[in-house]
C-alpha cells in the first residue's frame, strides 16, 4: 500500500471515529428529550390547545349554531360575574368539595394504615379497596341516587323505621351536598388509600423497629414517623383532590333525572353551570368564560395549598434540626 493510500485510509478512519463521537454526544444530549416528547405532544394537543382555544372563544360572542361572532373582550366575564347563578354554583362547588375531599383524605390514610399491617389476604383487601374506583361513575351515581331517594330510598326507609322524619335529599341544600360528596368519597377513597399505602411501604422498617424498642406504640409511630415521611405524598393527594373536587360533574349530573343541579339549583356546580351555558343556552362564549374562571380558581387554590404545605414542611424540618442538635 502506498503512502497516499495509507493516509487516505487513516483519514477515513479518523472521520468515522469523529462521526461516531459526534453521534454519541448527540445521543446523550438529545435522546432524553426524544423519550419524553410523546408526553408533551399529547399535552399540547389534548391540554394546551383546548385551553388556549377556550380563551379565544371566551372573548368572542360565540354561538353553538352561528359559530364565532364579534370580538367582545371581557364582556362575557363581566356578564357571568354579575349573575347570581355563577356565585351559587361556585358556593355549591366549594361546599361539595370540602365535604368530600377532607373526609376522603382522612379515611384514606386510615385505610392505608390498616392495609400496611400484616393482614391475611392482603392482595384481596387491596383489590377490594380499589374496586369502587373502576366502577363507572354513572353506575355509582345511579345506585346512590336510589339509596338517597326522598320517598323510597333505602336510607330514608331506615330513618323512618326509627320514627324519624325522612331527609329531603333532593330538596334541601346540605343533604344534597352530603349525598353527592358520599358518591365522590365512595369512588376515590380507595384510590387515594393505595397511593398512601405505596408511600408507607417505602418507609424503612428500621425506623419502626427502633421506635418499638424505645417503647412507642402504633399510634405514636404513625404520628411521629409515618405522617412526617408521608408529607410529600399528602401534598400531592391534596393537590389532585383539589383539582378533581372543583371539577365535580358526573355525580351531580346524575343525582336527578333532569341533571340541572336541582329545581332551585341547590347542588348545581360550576361544571354543570358550564354545561347549561354551552349546551342549553348555546352560548359558548360565556361557557368558556366560566371555564377559564374555574381554571384560575384551581390555580389560585393550588398555589395557596403549595405555600401552606411548604410553610408547614419548613416548620417541621426546623423542629427536626433543633431536636437533632439537642440530641448531639
Amino acid at each position: 500500500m502506498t503512502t497516499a493510500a495509507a493516509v487516505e485510509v487513516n483519514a477515513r478512519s479518523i472521520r468515522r471515529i469523529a462521526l461516531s463521537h459526534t453521534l454519541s454526544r448527540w445521543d446523550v444530549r438529545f435522546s432524553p428529550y426524544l423519550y419524553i416528547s410523546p408526553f408533551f405532544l399529547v399535552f399540547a394537543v389534548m391540554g394546551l390547545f383546548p385551553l388556549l382555544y377556550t380563551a379565544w372563544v371566551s372573548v368572542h360572542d360565540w354561538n353553538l349554531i352561528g359559530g364565532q361572532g364579534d370580538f367582545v373582550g371581557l364582556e362575557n366575564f363581566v356578564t357571568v360575574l354579575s349573575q347570581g347563578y355563577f356565585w351559587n354554583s361556585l358556593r355549591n362547588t366549594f361546599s361539595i368539595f370540602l365535604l368530600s375531599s377532607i373526609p376522603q383524605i382522612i379515611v384514606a390514610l386510615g385505610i392505608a394504615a390498616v392495609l400496611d399491617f400484616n393482614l391475611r389476604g392482603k392482595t384481596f383487601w387491596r383489590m377490594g379497596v380499589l374496586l369502587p374506583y373502576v366502577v363507572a361513575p354513572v353506575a355509582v351515581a345511579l345506585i346512590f341516587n336510589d339509596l338517597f331517594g326522598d320517598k323510597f330510598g333505602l336510607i330514608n326507609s331506615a330513618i323512618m323505621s326509627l320514627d324519624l322524619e325522612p331527609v329531603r335529599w333532593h330538596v334541601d341544600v346540605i343533604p344534597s351536598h352530603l349525598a353527592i360528596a358520599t358518591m365522590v368519597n365512595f369512588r376515590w377513597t380507595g384510590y387515594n388509600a393505595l397511593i398512601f399505602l405505596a408511600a408507607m411501604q417505602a418507609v424503612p422498617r428500621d425506623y419502626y423497629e427502633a421506635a418499638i424498642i424505645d417503647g412507642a406504640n402504633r399510634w405514636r409511630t404513625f404520628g411521629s414517623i409515618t405522617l412526617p415521611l408521608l408529607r410529600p405524598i399528602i401534598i400531592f393527594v391534596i393537590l389532585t383532590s383539589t383539582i378533581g373536587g372543583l371539577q365535580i360533574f358526573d355525580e351531580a349530573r346524575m343525582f336527578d333525572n333532569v341533571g340541572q343541579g336541582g329545581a332551585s339549583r341547590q347542588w348545581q356546580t360550576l361544571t354543570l353551570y358550564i354545561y347549561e351555558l354551552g349546551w342549553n343556552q348555546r352560548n359558548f362564549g360565556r361557557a368558556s368564560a366560566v371555564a377559564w374562571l374555574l381554571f384560575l380558581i384551581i390555580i389560585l387554590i393550588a398555589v395557596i395549598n403549595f405555600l401552606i404545605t411548604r410553610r408547614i414542611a419548613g416548620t417541621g424540618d426546623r423542629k427536626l434540626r433543633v431536636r437533632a442538635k439537642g440530641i448531639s
Side-chain angles (χ1 to χ4, degrees):
M1 181 181 294
T2 62
T3 304
V7 171
E8 181 65 22
V9 170
N10 290 334
R12 272 184 276 182
S13 177
I14 292 173
R15 284 196 296 270
R16 282 197 299 269
I17 295 174
L19 179 61
S20 177
H21 283 295
T22 302
L23 293 177
S24 178
R25 288 198 303 270
W26 287 357
D27 179 58
V28 173
R29 185 174 181 180
F30 297 109
S31 290
Y33 299 100
L34 182 63
Y35 296 148
I36 64 176
S37 61
F39 165 77
F40 290 100
L41 292 175
V42 173
F43 172 74
V45 174
M46 305 299 295
L48 185 60
F49 172 74
L51 184 65
L52 298 177
Y53 191 71
T54 302
W56 174 260
V57 174
S58 66
V59 294
H60 288 81
D61 185 10
W62 203 294
N63 188 271
L64 178 61
I65 298 177
Q68 180 178 345
D70 298 332
F71 177 80
V72 295
L74 299 178
E75 181 180 340
N76 288 325
F77 291 90
V78 174
T79 302
V80 166
L81 290 173
S82 63
Q83 293 181 350
Y85 292 147
F86 170 79
W87 298 106
N88 175 70
S89 61
L90 180 63
R91 182 175 61 251
N92 293 338
T93 300
F94 272 96
S95 176
I96 297 173
F97 158 66
L98 293 175
L99 289 173
S100 60
S101 295
I102 296 176
Q104 181 185 134
I105 294 174
I106 296 174
V107 175
L109 275 171
I111 293 175
V114 173
L115 293 177
D116 195 35
F117 297 154
N118 291 324
L119 299 175
R120 291 184 179 180
K122 291 186 292 185
T123 303
F124 170 78
W125 292 113
R126 292 170 185 175
M127 293 301 296
V129 166
L130 189 61
L131 185 61
Y133 173 72
V134 301
V135 178
V138 175
V140 174
L142 290 174
I143 294 171
F144 275 83
N145 195 20
D146 290 336
L147 289 176
F148 290 102
D150 292 346
K151 293 183 179 180
F152 306 106
L154 181 62
I155 296 177
N156 269 351
S157 298
I159 292 175
M160 287 187 293
S161 66
L162 300 175
D163 294 330
L164 299 175
E165 290 293 327
V167 180
R168 301 190 302 175
W169 300 105
H170 291 77
V171 177
D172 297 333
V173 177
I174 298 301
S176 62
H177 293 185
L178 285 172
I180 296 173
T182 303
M183 301 183 207
V184 178
N185 291 335
F186 172 78
R187 185 162 180 259
W188 289 98
T189 300
Y191 174 82
N192 290 328
L194 289 186
I195 294 178
F196 287 136
L197 176 62
M200 289 179 183
Q201 292 183 334
V203 177
R205 300 290 107 174
D206 297 341
Y207 294 168
Y208 296 110
E209 294 175 358
I212 292 173
I213 292 175
D214 291 339
N217 55 25
R218 291 189 181 274
W219 286 106
R220 184 64 184 274
T221 56
F222 183 78
S224 301
I225 298 176
T226 305
L227 285 182
L229 294 177
L230 288 184
R231 188 181 295 120
I233 303 301
I234 294 175
I235 295 172
F236 168 77
V237 172
I238 290 174
L239 290 177
T240 54
S241 299
T242 301
I243 295 172
L246 294 178
Q247 300 180 73
I248 295 173
F249 179 79
D250 294 332
E251 292 81 2
R253 178 73 172 81
M254 298 297 298
F255 191 56
D256 65 352
N257 296 326
V258 181
Q260 295 282 340
S264 302
R265 302 172 185 260
Q266 58 266 37
W267 69 82
Q268 185 182 57
T269 61
L270 281 174
T271 52
L272 283 178
Y273 186 50
I274 293 172
Y275 182 88
E276 179 186 353
L277 290 174
W279 297 105
N280 294 344
Q281 300 183 17
R282 301 180 180 180
N283 193 324
F284 273 19
R286 293 181 184 178
S288 299
V290 177
W292 253 88
L293 289 172
L294 177 59
F295 171 72
L296 294 177
I297 291 171
I298 292 174
I299 293 296
L300 177 62
I301 295 178
V303 171
I304 294 174
N305 280 338
F306 174 76
L307 294 176
I308 293 174
T309 51
R310 187 176 67 172
R311 184 180 182 87
I312 294 174
T315 304
D317 293 340
R318 286 194 296 271
K319 289 181 178 179
L320 289 176
R321 286 195 294 267
V322 170
R323 291 177 183 176
K325 289 181 181 179
I327 294 174
S328 59

